[in-house]
């Protein structure tokens, strides 16, 4: 068997892997790819039966193919995606299993806190003012300083503040590379007194069920002079590891809200249903939805509109189901959302005002009921920029900032978006009634800044999605870290058919 893998966006690469004489090949070769949460990275897998040594694929028998995205593989349970092969009409081509595993040293960050115990006394009129200096070892055997703690004054049992740093800065991604830690007594004149040192590695730091390690601080000169010398104290460590990638073991629930201004039958309307191309709302919805749906386990999205009169009585609503079913507003995949959106344009009468707070509060009620870190909610709002309840919206965002949710706002049309920029909070954290938002949960982008001048809508949507989703991983991590929520355990390994798991109830 010969598998050909085509990878596109942002790179195109042809890769091959070959296994001889089997109907159930298990390809060992791994392909290292750069993964970007905010981009749609398309993959294509072609399988062939090898008939000769020729590298010309037309000389071999085509067995089937699949198309998917890297996000689809990564977002699958345990990073394992199984799909049926296609490409040969009327024939069952079997299945292919694709697994993704992160090279953790690329994006890992480590949170560490150290405390000392019975360190040597160095000051004549006091104790010691200790601090730690961390060094990363280099290939040539030298050391480079990579972190220095604060000074704890007059204390032989100091507790230093927790600090976070990239694993790459600590050991350059080599878990077994030596990390040297020196302990000093701070002196005002800069001639700090050496207390002692110890060596470890990233792997050693992270080892142990209790995640606590104790290191003896050794002063080589003292050790050489005193036969009964034991140490110059000890340093204990608490270790936590966070990965940018770990959010993928959680479920993302995406709510889509679309503002309905203007008459969709008029070509001047942003909702105009052009039979030949997507309108601005549809492009924004498709651009973001096609990427984020890869991280939703059931691919069912609640899609609602706001700012319309509903049949049959013309009631004004700010949170109505696009599919017309208020008891079950869920749509199957982003294509289902698009279909519901187009159908709603035919049945509702677009009407103001534009109130954001009911929309935010709607999703916040869901998020408030699940705070264990198992689910994270994303609210996508597509609007023309007008907002009627600014004060209430700011209060809703401040309240929602302590919940497991993020808000994406895409502005369409030529309007000024000053209010949206204020909600974004990148420069000034949003506040309401004297309270600041706990964290930044809003990302706003105006769609017009991403429209390709040559009319390439696919490129426009790719640019939009890349920027609008760029902050989601950090927003997610900020929520999990501040609440001490660790990644869920890795799902159990896959058991092939014929070898069922034995379960006792």
């Amino acid at each position: 068997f010969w598998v050909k893998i085509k990878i596109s966006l942002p790179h195109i690469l042809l890769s091959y892997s070959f296994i001889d004489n089997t109907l159930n090949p298990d390809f060992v070769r791994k392909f290292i790819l750069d993964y970007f949460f905010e981009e749609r990275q398309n993959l294509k897998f072609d399988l062939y039966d090898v008939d000769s040594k020729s590298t010309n694929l037309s000389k071999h028998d085509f067995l089937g193919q699949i198309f998917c995205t890297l996000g689809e593989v990564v977002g699958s349970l345990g990073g394992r995606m199984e799909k049926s092969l296609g490409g040969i009409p009327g024939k069952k081509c079997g299945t292919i299993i694709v697994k993704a595993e992160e090279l953790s040293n690329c994006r890992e960050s480590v949170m560490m806190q150290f405390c000392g115990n019975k360190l040597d006394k160095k000051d004549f009129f006091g104790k010691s003012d200790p601090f730690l200096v961390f060094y990363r070892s280099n290939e040539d055997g030298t050391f480079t300083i990579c972190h220095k703690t604060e000074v704890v004054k007059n204390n032989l049992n100091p507790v230093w503040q927790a600090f976070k740093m990239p694993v790459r800065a600590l050991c350059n991604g080599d878990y077994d590379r030596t990390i040297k830690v020196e302990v000093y007594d701070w002196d005002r004149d800069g001639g700090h007194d050496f207390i002692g040192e110890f060596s470890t590695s990233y792997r050693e730091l992270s080892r142990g069920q209790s995640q606590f390690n104790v290191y003896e601080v050794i002063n080589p000169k003292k050790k050489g002079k005193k036969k009964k010398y034991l140490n110059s104290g000890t340093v204990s460590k608490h270790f936590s590891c966070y990965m940018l990638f770990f959010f993928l073991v959680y479920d993302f629930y995406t709510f889509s809200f679309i503002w309905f201004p203007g008459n969709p039958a008029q070509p001047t309307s942003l909702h105009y249903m052009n039979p030949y191309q997507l309108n601005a709302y549809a492009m924004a919805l498709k651009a973001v939805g096609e990427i984020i749906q890869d991280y939703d386990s059931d691919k069912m999205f609640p899609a609602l509109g706001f700012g319309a009169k509903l049949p049959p009585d013309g009631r004004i609503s700010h949170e109505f189901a696009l599919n017309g079913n208020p008891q079950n507003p869920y749509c199957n995949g982003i294509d289902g959302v698009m279909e519901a959106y187009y159908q709603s344009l035919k049945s509702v009468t677009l009407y103001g005002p534009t109130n954001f707070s009911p929309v935010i509060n709607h999703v916040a009620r869901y998020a408030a009921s699940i705070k264990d870190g198992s689910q994270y909610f994303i609210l996508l709002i597509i609007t023309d920029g007008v907002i009627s309840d600014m004060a209430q919206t700011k209060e809703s965002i401040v309240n929602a900032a302590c919940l497991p949710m993020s808000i994406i706002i895409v502005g369409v049309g030529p309007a000024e978006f000053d209010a949206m920029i204020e909600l974004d909070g990148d420069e000034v954290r949003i506040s309401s009634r004297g309270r600041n938002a706990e964290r930044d949960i809003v990302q706003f982008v105006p769609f017009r800044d991403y429209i390709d001048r040559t009319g390439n809508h696919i490129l426009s949507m790719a640019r939009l999605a890349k920027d609008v989703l760029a902050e989601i991983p950090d927003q997610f991590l900020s929520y999990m870290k501040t609440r001490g929520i660790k990644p869920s355990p890795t799902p159990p390994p896959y058991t092939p058919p014929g070898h069922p798991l034995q379960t006792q109830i």
Side-chain angles (χ1 to χ4, degrees):
F1 278 88
W2 203 337
V3 61
K4 179 184 76 169
I5 305 171
K6 182 178 181 181
I7 303 154
S8 61
L9 289 179
H11 306 294
I12 294 179
L13 171 69
L14 291 178
S15 300
Y16 300 89
S17 185
F18 172 79
I19 290 183
D20 190 24
N21 195 30
T22 177
L23 294 179
N24 299 289
D26 188 0
F27 298 99
V28 176
R29 181 177 176 184
K30 297 177 175 64
F31 303 92
I32 299 176
L33 308 176
D34 291 327
Y35 164 71
F36 301 97
F37 168 78
E38 67 274 15
E39 294 183 14
R40 184 178 178 85
Q41 296 171 274
N42 296 314
L43 303 177
K44 176 186 175 184
F45 295 82
D46 289 344
L47 269 76
Y48 292 84
D49 176 32
V50 176
D51 294 321
S52 67
K53 294 182 179 181
S54 174
T55 57
N56 185 347
L57 292 176
S58 64
K59 304 293 184 182
H60 308 288
D61 296 328
F62 176 67
L63 299 178
Q65 66 183 189
I66 67 160
F67 298 87
C68 64
T69 67
L70 184 56
E72 192 176 353
V73 180
V74 169
S76 299
L77 183 63
R80 177 189 178 277
M81 183 197 73
E82 182 172 348
K83 269 194 170 185
S84 296
L85 290 164
I88 303 178
K91 182 179 179 181
K92 292 184 177 180
C93 303
T95 60
I96 186 172
I97 298 171
V98 183
K99 295 193 69 175
E101 182 181 56
E102 187 194 20
L103 296 180
S104 56
N105 57 18
C106 295
R107 299 187 182 184
E108 252 180 1
S109 289
V110 59
M111 180 79 73
M112 294 186 289
Q113 184 173 22
F114 289 83
C115 57
N117 183 49
K118 297 181 179 179
L119 298 179
D120 282 357
K121 178 180 178 297
K122 289 289 185 179
D123 293 342
F124 185 79
F125 293 107
K127 298 178 180 178
S128 287
D129 307 318
F131 66 94
L132 303 178
V133 182
F134 291 76
Y135 297 88
R136 178 184 71 246
S137 61
N138 303 314
E139 295 290 347
D140 60 0
T142 61
F143 288 86
T144 300
I145 185 171
C146 57
H147 182 76
K148 184 184 295 185
T149 68
E150 79 283 3
V151 176
V152 177
K153 291 292 189 71
N154 198 33
N155 198 328
L156 299 181
N157 301 292
V159 178
W160 292 280
Q161 293 179 11
F163 63 91
K164 173 188 172 186
M165 64 185 303
V167 171
R168 180 169 291 174
L170 188 64
C171 63
N172 201 30
D174 182 354
Y175 290 2
D176 298 306
R177 182 173 296 196
T178 299
I179 299 168
K180 184 173 69 172
V181 183
E182 294 180 345
V183 187
Y184 287 90
D185 167 46
W186 178 84
D187 286 336
R188 188 181 301 274
D189 61 3
H192 311 307
D193 299 317
F194 179 70
I195 295 176
E197 63 183 16
F198 62 91
S199 295
T200 182
S201 66
Y202 180 82
R203 191 179 304 280
E204 187 176 330
L205 283 170
S206 59
R207 186 174 293 152
Q209 289 185 344
S210 66
Q211 293 189 326
F212 281 87
N213 286 359
V214 179
Y215 298 94
E216 287 189 299
V217 178
I218 302 299
N219 187 318
K221 289 185 177 179
K222 278 192 173 183
K223 187 176 181 180
K225 293 178 179 179
K226 299 181 179 179
K227 292 184 179 181
K228 293 185 179 181
Y229 174 83
L230 294 177
N231 56 52
S232 295
T234 60
V235 170
S236 303
K237 172 272 313 176
H238 178 64
F239 174 98
S240 296
C241 174
Y242 294 95
M243 290 184 291
L244 174 61
F245 192 71
F246 80 63
F247 71 85
L248 296 173
V249 301
Y250 297 90
D251 246 341
F252 271 31
Y253 283 82
T254 306
F255 290 75
S256 300
F257 277 83
I258 302 175
W259 158 236
F260 281 77
N263 185 350
Q266 298 294 327
T268 54
S269 171
L270 294 170
H271 287 287
Y272 179 59
M273 298 173 64
N274 189 325
Y276 303 106
Q277 68 179 44
L278 299 175
N279 63 38
Y281 280 84
M283 279 196 285
L285 183 60
K286 189 176 181 67
V288 178
E290 282 192 341
I291 291 179
I292 205 69
Q293 73 175 349
D294 286 339
Y295 306 97
D296 188 298
S297 61
D298 61 8
K299 306 293 187 291
M300 298 297 293
F301 300 100
L304 302 99
F306 61 105
K309 291 182 177 180
L310 307 185
D313 56 359
R315 174 176 55 90
I316 299 174
S317 175
H318 294 289
E319 49 178 285
F320 62 92
L322 293 187
N323 64 5
N325 186 351
Q327 281 73 41
N328 184 16
Y330 289 83
C331 302
N332 188 5
I334 200 62
D335 290 337
V337 175
M338 299 286 288
E339 182 180 353
Y341 163 61
Y342 285 128
Q343 288 300 319
S344 67
L345 289 177
K346 300 175 183 178
S347 60
V348 304
T349 302
L350 312 184
Y351 199 81
T354 310
N355 294 334
F356 274 26
S357 57
V359 170
I360 298 170
N361 293 337
H362 179 99
V363 180
R365 286 194 293 271
Y366 285 86
S369 65
I370 302 174
K371 296 183 180 180
D372 61 357
S374 62
Q375 298 175 17
Y376 194 83
F377 297 80
I378 297 177
L379 167 60
L380 169 62
I381 300 176
I382 307 175
T383 180
D384 67 354
V386 180
I387 182 168
S388 308
D389 62 340
M390 187 65 174
Q392 295 91 331
T393 295
K394 292 170 69 174
E395 183 171 4
S396 295
I397 292 174
V398 170
N399 292 335
C402 63
L403 300 174
M405 65 178 286
S406 291
I407 302 171
I408 297 171
I409 304 175
V410 179
V412 297
E416 294 297 326
F417 293 113
D418 293 347
M420 304 302 158
I421 295 173
E422 182 179 352
L423 296 180
D424 191 293
D426 280 345
E427 297 182 3
V428 179
R429 183 66 60 88
I430 192 171
S431 62
S432 175
R433 300 186 183 185
R435 288 193 304 137
N436 289 329
E438 177 183 312
R439 59 194 181 93
D440 177 19
I441 64 169
V442 179
Q443 168 74 339
F444 164 74
V445 295
F447 190 22
R448 63 182 177 226
D449 290 354
Y450 300 88
I451 296 177
D452 183 66
R453 295 181 180 179
T454 65
N456 187 332
H457 296 313
I458 294 178
L459 185 58
S460 300
M461 290 190 291
R463 289 172 175 170
L464 171 71
K466 182 176 180 179
D467 270 17
V468 82
L469 294 171
E471 293 185 8
I472 295 297
D474 284 340
Q475 290 176 2
F476 173 88
L477 281 180
S478 71
Y479 176 82
M480 298 299 172
K481 288 180 180 178
T482 55
R483 281 149 183 81
I485 299 174
K486 300 297 190 298
S488 299
T490 303
Y494 171 66
T495 301
H499 300 80
L501 288 173
Q502 299 299 314
T503 305
Q504 184 176 357
I505 300 177

